Each structure stands twice: as C-alpha cells, then as structure tokens.
Amino acid sequence: MMETTARARTGSSRAFGAFEWLLAMRYLRARRREGFISVIAGFSFAGIMLGVATLIIVMSVMNGFRTELLSRILGLNGHMFVRGIGASITDYDAVAERVRSVPGVISVIPLVDGQVMVQSPRNAGGALVRGMREQDLKSLSVVADNVTIGSLDGLDEGGVAIGFRLAQNMGLTVGDNITLLSPRGAITPFGTAPRVASFPIRAVFEIGMSEYDASFVFMPLDEARAFFRTYEGVTALEIRIGNPDRVKELVQPIANAAGPCCDVVTWQQTNESFFSALQVERNVMFLILTLILIVAALNIISGLIMLVKDKGRDIAVLRTMGATRGAVMRAFFISGASIGCAGTLAGFLLGLAFCLNIETLRKFLSDLSGTELFSPEVYFLTHMPAEVDPGEVGAVVAMALFLSFAATLYPAWRAASLDPVEALRYE
C-alpha cells in the first residue's frame, strides 16, 4: 500500500501512468468474493467479440454477394442495351460502328434473344435463347472460361451451348439434340403456329449463378434470326463500357449515336429493384447487429458500477493517501476500456478468419448437419462469397472502441467523485 501511494504521489500527473495501470489490472483480477464482477466482465468481453465478429462477417458476406451477382449479371448481360423501338434493328452493323465510336465504349455485340419452351424426352421447361456470333460469345469470359463439357469452336456452323443446370434438368449432354419451341411462328387461318426446331448441343457451361445456368441457351446469330423470324435484323445491341458505375453519363451520347429509332436501357434500370433490395437489407442488418455491441457496452457499465460500489473503501483509502481524482478516474477507465479493446481485437481476428475460410466452414457445417446451408436455387450462387472491405472493417472496429470507451466514462466519473470521508465513515 505504501508503494502504491508513493506512486500515486510521485508517479506524477502523467495520464495513464504505471499507477493507473497497476490499479486497473488488480481490479480486473477479481478475488473469489468478487467473482460475479469477473463473470460480468467475461460476458462483456464475449459480447464485444461476437458483435464485432458478426458485423464483419455479415457485411463481408453482403459485399461478396453483391459483387458476385453484379459480376455475373454484367458479365453475361452487358452494361447497356440498344433496342429498336417497335421493331428489330435492321442496319445493326452501321449502328454498332457509330456506337463503338463513342468514348468509353469497349465493345458492341449484336444479338437476337427471345423466350422459348425447351423440350427433351425427360423434361420440359422455359428458357431464354440468345443468338450471337461465335467470336462475340467467346469474348464473354464468364461463358467461354466456364465451359465444362464440349467446346464453343465451330458454333457458327450449327448447334447450341446450354447451361449446366438446364442440361441436368433435361437429362441432356453434348451430342444430344434439344428441341426449342417458340410462339413466334407462322400465321395460319387457324392462328399462329408455334415454331419448333431441334439443335445439337455443342457445349455445356456453368457460370456459377444457378438462375442463368438453368435458363440460358446460346445459338449462332443467323440461326437465331431465322428461328425468331427477325429476318435481316437483330433485337438488340449489347454494349460494354469501361466503368459500369458511370453508365448514366453515356446514355445520351450512345442514344445520339444509335439514332431516333432506338432506345437505350442500362443495367441499373433493368436490375434497379433487385440491387435496391440488397442495399436496404444490408443497411438493416448493420443496424440490427449493432445492437449486440450496445448490449455489450451496457454490460461494461453495469460491471464497472458494481466494481465501484465494491471498491468504495479502497478508493477512499487511496484518496486519503494522495491519489488524485484523475488517477482514480483513469484507473477505472482503463479497466473498462481494456475489456472493450480486448474484445474488439478478438472479434476482429475471429471475423477475419471466418471470412477467409467461409466456404470451407460452410461445407463442413453442411456435411455435419446433413443439410444444404447455402442452396444455389435460393441464393442464386453456387458458393458463399465474402469480400472484406477495409473501410467497413475499420468503421466497425472504431464504433466498437467508441462504445467501449463511452461506456466507461460514467462509472469512472462516479469513482473519481466519491467522497473519501463519507465512504470511510459508512465503511
């Protein structure tokens, strides 16, 4: 005690000196009769750790989910579409050349697309047919780099490429014939007769997005024009630009280059509701999970208040022997802040480790429970993505530290404002 008070007198008024650290660490190491306070401190540490880890994991998964969906949607559908108003684009090569001359445009691909009914001896269902030239299809890395069976070589000579899940559902593979039925058929006295055609399967691709793998069929541009009866025209020009986020800036220049008979549609307009829903869900999840950190901060407050009540006599003795109010306040501030800092660091490491191994953990838990934890049919993707954003992680860590420090201020002030005369009288 004499050594401690000597440090209190001579340890100077230096903020967070050895005396404050010694006192704070002794209070954190509770004795048997103070075990309940230690339990509360443990729960506070666990709450901060789980809150930080959960926020990092959820935000990273939401970021990865959005990035993966965006890369697959834009990788397959392009950033902008030029479509004819009320009719197909007949002079599409000339229009494509004018659009390519717009600064910022990387590629322009003419295509024909339409809804069809797919039939096989095993099953039937809907699909989206997209006709384009072989070299244009090979330029789509999301398709060309993910061909699992067969090859895209020689596709212009005839045949189609279909998604892996579509082939699986129909019981088809490379070399089999697939039957497509289109409502755009010949007009007869008895009504419109649907057009039916059979095509050999040359390739099977797997993009990794279940909705696309189960519904897309690619065929040569000339065969698509004949099948959908667009004759010498195409239904759209698919445009890719350097920066997809600046797509609105190029709408007017591209519309001027395409001409008055064409309409320009961006990927933001096509998928506006989908990505808006993702953003709202992400913000709501952040607010809900922040409550975990607030509850943990309240645990720190309650634990420190109980500690101040229990150590009232000790505080009074230290004050009479020379300890200043600032020293007592800093000691209790260190006690609470140490719990918050340790919990934040542990939560940061736990969340980062979880994000870096999330797919391995998902497979382990799926095998352990015998259930599909991330079904591709529900979540569109075949694997669970996680993208750690350093800015968001820094914001989560800063928020956890702020709540931890703020939670210690009132108990530390109560300890510093304790009257030593009154405390010793009632003790």
Side-chain angles (χ1 to χ4, degrees), residues 58-68 282 386-389 392:
V58 171
M59 291 297 101
S60 299
V61 170
M62 295 293 290
N63 288 338
F65 193 72
R66 183 183 185 278
T67 301
E68 288 293 321
R282 180 175 174 275
E387 179 181 335
V388 179
D389 185 352
E392 286 187 348

Side-chain angles (χ1 to χ4, degrees), residues 42-340:
F43 279 120
S44 302
F45 168 81
I48 293 288
M49 179 185 68
L50 293 177
V52 171
T54 304
L55 270 173
I56 292 176
I57 293 169
V58 171
M59 291 297 101
S60 299
V61 170
M62 295 293 290
N63 288 338
F65 193 72
R66 183 183 185 278
T67 301
E68 288 293 321
L69 284 178
L70 190 62
S71 64
R72 281 162 171 75
I73 290 174
L74 298 187
L76 193 63
N77 291 319
H79 306 148
M80 306 173 72
F81 285 94
V82 173
R83 296 186 179 274
I85 300 177
S88 59
I89 305 174
T90 53
D91 55 340
Y92 59 88
D93 284 328
V95 175
E97 283 299 324
R98 294 199 300 268
V99 172
R100 285 192 189 97
S101 64
V102 176
V105 175
I106 295 178
S107 66
V108 181
I109 299 175
L111 56 85
V112 175
D113 56 2
Q115 297 284 343
V116 298
M117 175 70 75
V118 180
Q119 293 180 335
S120 72
R122 175 178 170 179
N123 205 349
L128 176 65
V129 171
R130 181 165 292 180
M132 57 175 55
R133 300 184 180 110
E134 180 182 329
Q135 66 269 22
D136 293 334
L137 182 58
K138 288 182 177 180
S139 67
L140 301 180
S141 59
V142 70
V143 176
D145 295 344
N146 293 287
V147 175
T148 57
I149 307 174
S151 174
L152 297 178
D153 295 333
L155 191 66
D156 278 346
E157 300 174 4
V160 296
I162 67 175
F164 174 77
R165 291 189 175 274
L166 180 60
Q168 199 175 43
N169 295 337
M170 297 295 165
L172 300 173
T173 187
V174 171
D176 297 336
N177 286 339
I178 187 171
T179 302
L180 305 181
L181 185 148
S182 172
R184 303 178 190 176
I187 299 176
T188 67
F190 301 99
T192 303
R195 181 174 176 79
V196 181
S198 181
F199 301 93
I201 299 175
R202 284 185 172 270
V204 176
F205 59 86
E206 185 176 11
I207 297 174
M209 187 171 177
S210 61
E211 185 180 8
Y212 287 170
D213 289 336
S215 61
F216 262 83
V217 177
F218 290 96
M219 67 167 56
L221 181 62
D222 293 338
E223 290 193 6
R225 286 204 308 243
F227 184 73
F228 289 109
R229 296 185 178 275
T230 61
Y231 303 104
E232 297 301 321
V234 297
T235 57
L237 297 176
E238 181 184 276
I239 303 171
R240 298 179 183 276
I241 62 177
N243 187 357
D245 293 327
R246 298 181 56 191
V247 68
K248 291 183 179 179
E249 302 176 11
L250 294 178
V251 170
Q252 194 58 46
I254 290 177
N256 295 335
C261 297
C262 297
D263 185 29
V264 180
V265 181
T266 68
W267 69 269
Q268 294 176 341
Q269 294 172 321
T270 307
N271 304 281
E272 181 179 6
S273 59
F274 182 72
F275 285 102
S276 296
L278 282 180
Q279 185 64 30
V280 171
E281 182 181 2
R282 180 175 174 275
N283 294 336
V284 171
M285 290 295 293
F286 181 84
L287 292 176
I288 292 174
L289 294 174
T290 303
L291 296 177
I292 300 178
L293 293 178
I294 296 176
V295 171
L298 293 177
N299 286 337
I300 294 177
I301 294 176
S302 61
L304 285 180
I305 289 177
M306 293 182 63
L307 183 62
V308 171
K309 290 290 185 182
D310 186 73
K311 298 294 184 180
R313 183 174 181 274
D314 296 348
I315 296 171
V317 171
L318 288 174
R319 289 292 311 281
T320 57
M321 298 182 70
T324 63
R325 287 189 175 186
V328 174
M329 186 173 182
R330 288 192 293 269
F332 280 90
F333 177 84
I334 292 172
S335 297
S338 298
I339 299 173

Side-chain angles (χ1 to χ4, degrees), residues 348-369:
F348 168 75
L349 296 176
L350 178 63
L352 197 62
F354 199 99
C355 291
L356 295 177
N357 301 278
I358 192 167
E359 181 62 17
T360 303
L361 292 172
R362 183 194 70 83
K363 292 180 179 179
F364 172 75
L365 293 175
S366 296
D367 296 338
L368 187 65
S369 61

